[in-house]
Amino acid sequence: MIIKPENEKKLIMDILISYGLNEKDAETTANIYTEADLKGFSSHGIGRFPQTIKGIECGNINLNPKIKILKESPAVGTVDGDMGLGYVVSEYCMNKAIEKSKNVGIGAISTINSNHFGIAGHYSEMAMKEGLIGIVITNTEPAMAPFGGVEKILGTNPIAIAFKGKKYEYSLDMATSSIARGKILECLRKGTEIPPNCAVDKEGNPTTNPKDALEGSILPFGGPKGYALALAIETIAAIGGSEMGKNIKGTATPEDRCTKGDLFICINPEFFGDKDEFMEKVDNLFLEIKNSKSPNGRTILIPGEIEKMNIVKRMKEGIPIDENLFNTLKEICDKKGIKIEEYI
């Protein structure tokens, strides 16, 4: 079945409001869920929304947080999210980083006591839309073994980077694992296999079974390179005082209090050199890449362009909802007296 993007947003908003969330924060959260589905990150779209509801019902997500700054200088700061929705806390933090970068050239905000924030690229693109450079990293509860091991210690630890020239935009949003844990959970829900060479079972044997992969370990992308990057993100994302390694909980298990950390960085090119010249050089480089030869004659894409194509397609065709997800959403709606059939 198919849901229109505007109906997905309204459904998520109405459910969150029925749980007591204010309309502004409900819209922020619904926008990011819907953006994920439009871009093709279905593992972080409405398919993940039931986990947020579980977190609310368990009392691990605070719908009325008192977000506060624990430590601050003109360029940096640490924010206590008071266990609020990660989407709301994270927009607050990136807006703070943007403000600081406009004042002193760079802004960096770390978080503690927040929750899963969806797609990291949403926040890096907030900076990009202001003509700035956005970088976002976060650590997650253990899902990945270090290179050469079989015991999961590291998270899937995504990184997002976004910036633009005058014409072209760059937006990277990726996990440092060979597959996102959310994608494995999605395959488990749909009853499909995961791609090969992405995970091992608890004995260290390669597997395409999502259940075995979750019990075992996801592999880092690029072998030792992905492991090294994941380890760096694991530690630096915790700079504000959040947990690392096996002490991280709650990003995939909503019944646990979330202990992960985030870092939102914003860089203002105007403080480093001629911003117009920088943006022109960005465009020239991207144009050089797009005009370069490829073996099949296809145009080479810049990171973020696939997501833009997905948005166009899904705005036209809608967002697919599998039967298991529909049934789960219907159970949530039934508890709140919401008729899901009016949305899908």
Side-chain angles (χ1 to χ4, degrees):
M1 56 194 78
I2 299 294
I3 186 170
K4 293 180 179 179
E6 61 269 26
N7 288 351
E8 175 177 324
K9 175 183 173 180
K10 187 174 188 308
L11 175 61
I12 292 172
M13 282 188 66
D14 288 350
I15 291 173
L16 289 171
I17 289 170
S18 76
Y19 275 89
L21 185 64
N22 66 74
E23 185 174 350
K24 180 177 180 292
D25 289 352
E27 184 171 19
T28 293
T29 303
N31 279 337
I32 299 169
Y33 269 116
T34 305
E35 179 186 332
D37 274 324
L38 287 171
K39 286 181 172 179
F41 295 113
S42 55
S43 59
H44 287 61
I46 195 170
R48 196 180 184 98
F49 181 60
Q51 287 185 255
T52 293
I53 298 302
K54 285 182 183 177
I56 294 170
E57 292 177 341
C58 290
N60 289 324
I61 294 178
N62 180 5
L63 296 183
N64 296 288
K66 293 180 172 59
I67 300 171
K68 60 184 178 181
I69 300 173
L70 298 179
K71 195 171 184 179
E72 187 175 24
S73 77
V76 304
T78 295
V79 165
D80 183 338
D82 194 26
M83 301 314 300
L85 282 159
Y87 310 90
V88 176
V89 175
S90 298
E91 280 211 350
Y92 173 90
C93 290
M94 183 48 94
N95 279 324
K96 278 287 181 187
I98 289 170
E99 178 186 340
K100 288 179 178 296
S101 76
K102 289 181 177 180
N103 290 333
V104 298
I106 191 165
I109 301 291
S110 66
T111 66
I112 62 169
N113 298 326
S114 187
N115 278 285
H116 191 274
F117 64 25
I119 49 172
H122 170 79
Y123 311 100
S124 57
E125 288 180 9
M126 286 173 62
M128 179 190 72
K129 290 172 183 176
E130 297 281 334
L132 308 167
I133 299 166
I135 304 171
V136 178
I137 59 173
T138 183
N139 57 25
T140 75
E141 64 187 85
M144 186 168 69
F147 181 71
V150 296
E151 183 180 356
K152 52 189 176 187
I153 299 174
L154 303 174
T156 54
N157 299 356
I159 179 170
I161 303 172
F163 58 91
K164 66 179 181 178
K166 293 184 175 181
K167 179 179 179 181
Y168 294 107
E169 296 177 344
Y170 173 105
S171 182
L172 168 74
D173 183 354
M174 69 173 206
T176 48
S177 56
S178 55
I179 185 173
R181 176 173 21 212
K183 183 62 69 175
I184 298 178
L185 291 168
E186 184 180 32
C187 289
L188 182 65
R189 187 186 75 233
K190 292 181 176 179
T192 58
E193 293 190 335
I194 65 172
N197 304 316
C198 288
V200 294
D201 62 21
K202 57 187 177 183
E203 304 299 328
N205 302 308
T207 184
T208 57
N209 183 301
K211 183 174 182 296
D212 291 343
L214 290 169
E215 292 175 353
S217 172
I218 306 172
L219 298 173
F221 88 93
K225 295 180 181 180
Y227 155 60
L229 182 58
L231 181 56
I233 292 172
E234 182 88 18
T235 53
I236 297 171
I239 198 169
S242 61
E243 296 294 345
M244 304 180 194
K246 292 184 178 181
N247 289 324
I248 301 177
K249 302 181 186 301
T251 61
T253 51
E255 61 272 14
D256 294 325
R257 185 178 184 276
C258 190
T259 59
K260 60 105 174 189
D262 315 307
L263 183 62
F264 303 88
I265 302 169
C266 188
I267 300 169
N268 189 342
E270 287 185 356
F271 282 73
F272 291 82
D274 187 311
K275 182 178 179 180
D276 286 338
E277 181 183 348
F278 169 74
M279 295 179 77
E280 287 172 4
K281 287 180 177 178
V282 167
D283 283 338
N284 289 338
L285 173 60
F286 288 1
L287 187 60
E288 187 176 358
I289 289 170
K290 295 180 78 64
N291 289 338
S292 64
K293 294 179 181 179
S294 64
N296 52 20
R298 294 179 181 176
T299 301
I300 297 172
L301 299 177
I302 302 300
E305 289 187 323
I306 289 177
E307 287 77 10
K308 288 181 179 179
M309 290 187 286
N310 285 338
I311 290 172
V312 172
K313 180 181 179 182
R314 293 196 167 186
M315 285 296 294
K316 180 180 179 181
E317 299 178 0
I319 295 162
I321 301 284
D322 63 80
E323 185 177 356
N324 287 340
L325 176 57
F326 174 83
N327 291 336
T328 301
L329 292 170
K330 188 175 187 307
E331 288 177 10
I332 295 169
C333 288
D334 288 347
K335 284 191 290 186
K336 292 296 183 177
I338 297 171
K339 295 181 179 179
I340 193 172
E341 294 81 5
E342 295 180 357
Y343 302 82
I344 297 179

